[in-house]
Amino acid sequence: MLNDKKILFSGMQATGNLTLGNYLGALKNWVTISDEYETFYSVVDMHSITVRQDPAELRKRARTLLTLYIAAGLDPEKNCIYYQSHVSGHAELAWILNCFTYMGELNRMTQFKDKAAKHADNINAGLFTYPVLMAADILLYQTDVVPVGVDQMQHLELTRDIAQRFNSIYGDVFTIPEAYIGKVGAKIMSLQDPSKKMSKSDENVNASIYLMDDPDTIIRKFKRAVTDSEACVRYSEEQPGIKNLLDIYCACTGKTPAEAEKEFEGKGYGDFKLAVGESVVGVLKPLQDRFHDLTKNKDYIDGVIKNNSEKANYFATKTLRKVQKKVGFPERIR
Ligand code: ATP
Ligand code: LTN
């Protein structure tokens, strides 16, 4: 890198509509910490085809996601925001790393087990080796930190194991990455079943707040959120529904759970849910306005896509050539 900053990489899949979980667990943290690092934020469209996609729809969602990165506050002049499929090094490194990953390791991945159960009619090899592509994403940029939600920890551990294995054979080729888990919003749960994470692929639309939901919809979904019969706003594992709403409220307002408990002392769940909904509207409305402005500016977004894919390609190729040489591929003749 040209400066002394450490390197950060993260990515999101262009499948489904982004939820408040994706925003509070990932995107918001990306913005908060971006200034401290040299950053690469990828729209990981190659990961998306591990489950069947409609091509036109995937293209549209990928562009929406890239635009949302910017709307959320990432300046594309400072942050390398790009499509994974525009940098062929991801696939090339993934192939090499496949040869340094064991079937047994991949068999243990819980996301694979979940997705295989969900898509029983299409358990393809890509779904199985998905974590290796993720390792390639990260290692390609000599990444130091990877901000993700807790659900991705297992993949990150695997990435570290693969990198260490490779380095122990060929010397210090890869930087060993660390996970960065945000303090608040690390795991936002479903509004309809607080034992499940809020997920963009949930079939029940009332379970998730989507980033593009209008204010009325947001308030209505919070009013319907599953709670309990304790009638007391307390931050406790015994009240998972209330705890989740407190997590959301604190992530949106910057308050601590203790401050929030105090604020709602003696108040009913109705008032509390309304306040949570309003705090979410307060965060999402400005983001939505910026998103709509950006979509009107096609040339600007096209320019971001072009410039940043060139930048990502430059850094990716540097690592890739080093790795190719180490494993014994013949040198390129210029
Ligand atoms: P899917 O439902 O398709 O599995 P997802 O909603 O889990 O998708 P991903 O694309 O897998 O979303 O995740 C993008 C990022 O958002 C990851 O860093 C992930 O850790 C984070 N994330 C996803 N869901 C949540 C959640 N409920 N709470 C906090 N962070 C989350
Ligand atoms: N597997 C992640 C998305 C993802 C990612 C990455 C995250 C793909 N490559 C590299 C961080 C770094 C997910 O399903 N959320």
Side-chain angles (χ1 to χ4, degrees):
M1 284 288 144
L2 299 172
N3 51 43
D4 294 335
K5 284 185 180 171
K6 288 198 166 183
I7 299 166
L8 178 155
F9 183 96
S10 203
M12 258 189 226
Q13 293 200 56
T15 32
N17 291 322
L18 282 213
T19 69
L20 186 65
N22 300 127
Y23 179 70
L24 297 177
L27 205 46
K28 185 166 179 270
N29 290 321
W30 293 6
V31 177
T32 313
I33 61 173
S34 62
D35 278 349
E36 290 169 49
Y37 296 94
E38 184 69 41
T39 61
F40 294 87
Y41 291 117
S42 186
V43 171
V44 292
D45 48 355
M46 288 162 67
H47 278 90
S48 301
I49 63 164
T50 51
V51 301
R52 279 299 166 259
Q53 303 290 337
D54 173 74
E57 187 69 13
L58 177 59
R59 226 182 318 275
K60 196 171 140 213
R61 286 190 194 283
R63 191 164 173 116
T64 297
L65 184 55
L66 186 128
T67 309
L68 271 173
Y69 285 3
I70 305 171
L74 294 170
D75 176 354
E77 297 286 326
K78 295 189 189 142
N79 302 278
C80 188
I81 294 173
Y82 73 100
Y83 294 130
Q84 182 188 31
S85 63
H86 285 190
V87 180
S88 59
H90 288 258
E92 293 180 74
L93 182 61
W95 171 252
I96 297 174
L97 297 182
N98 262 317
C99 304
F100 291 84
T101 309
Y102 297 110
M103 300 288 284
E105 289 177 308
L106 294 176
N107 258 324
R108 283 198 293 275
M109 296 294 119
T110 55
Q111 184 169 306
F112 168 68
K113 289 185 214 168
D114 291 350
K115 293 214 168 166
K118 237 186 204 166
H119 306 278
D121 55 337
N122 179 22
I123 306 177
N124 60 72
L127 194 62
F128 188 63
T129 60
Y130 173 115
V132 184
L133 179 58
M134 175 161 165
D137 300 341
I138 296 168
L139 301 178
L140 202 49
Y141 298 94
Q142 303 294 348
T143 302
D144 296 285
V145 286
V146 187
V148 278
V150 274
D151 60 307
Q152 293 301 310
M153 267 315 278
Q154 199 185 27
H155 289 160
L156 206 74
E157 286 300 329
L158 178 69
T159 302
R160 289 163 57 87
D161 290 345
I162 297 171
Q164 270 152 354
R165 185 171 304 144
F166 195 93
N167 283 357
S168 71
I169 305 173
Y170 300 106
D172 275 344
V173 178
F174 294 123
T175 303
I176 309 297
E178 305 271 349
Y180 172 96
I181 308 277
K183 283 181 215 62
V184 280
K187 196 163 186 186
I188 302 299
M189 310 311 275
S190 154
L191 297 186
Q192 291 299 314
D193 176 359
S195 67
K196 268 188 358 195
K197 79 163 189 166
M198 185 181 284
S199 160
K200 46 180 144 71
S201 48
D202 202 312
E203 272 154 26
N204 183 348
V205 291
N206 289 320
S208 307
I209 300 290
Y210 300 106
L211 293 197
M212 290 299 153
D213 278 348
D214 60 60
D216 287 349
T217 307
I218 295 175
I219 301 288
R220 182 170 43 79
K221 286 185 181 176
F222 276 107
K223 277 191 186 154
R224 289 192 187 166
V226 168
T227 50
D228 51 51
S229 51
E230 305 261 322
C232 157
V233 177
R234 205 160 37 104
Y235 196 75
S236 142
E237 298 295 339
E238 283 146 39
Q239 292 177 251
I242 294 294
K243 179 171 178 284
N244 187 40
L245 294 181
L246 277 167
D247 275 331
I248 294 172
Y249 185 68
C250 292
C252 290
T253 57
K255 291 179 186 166
T256 64
E259 284 166 353
E261 274 179 350
K262 214 162 176 196
E263 188 179 341
F264 296 103
E265 217 171 70
K267 294 209 176 120
Y269 284 171
D271 289 347
F272 172 54
K273 285 176 168 181
L274 184 63
V276 180
E278 281 171 351
S279 76
V280 171
V281 171
V283 169
L284 294 190
K285 182 73 176 55
L287 187 149
Q288 293 172 354
D289 292 346
R290 279 194 298 277
F291 175 82
H292 291 304
D293 283 347
L294 283 163
T295 50
K296 286 181 205 139
N297 203 340
K298 181 175 182 300
D299 291 348
Y300 172 72
I301 300 290
D302 285 349
V304 168
I305 292 169
K306 182 170 182 295
N307 294 340
N308 280 328
S309 78
E310 280 167 11
K311 180 175 169 187
N313 260 300
Y314 171 79
F315 288 105
T317 306
K318 262 173 57 168
T319 303
L320 187 65
R321 293 289 174 262
K322 206 163 149 187
V323 172
Q324 289 171 328
K325 191 170 172 195
K326 290 283 184 187
V327 298
F329 292 171
E331 260 179 64
R332 279 156 205 263
I333 316 287
R334 278 172 215 278

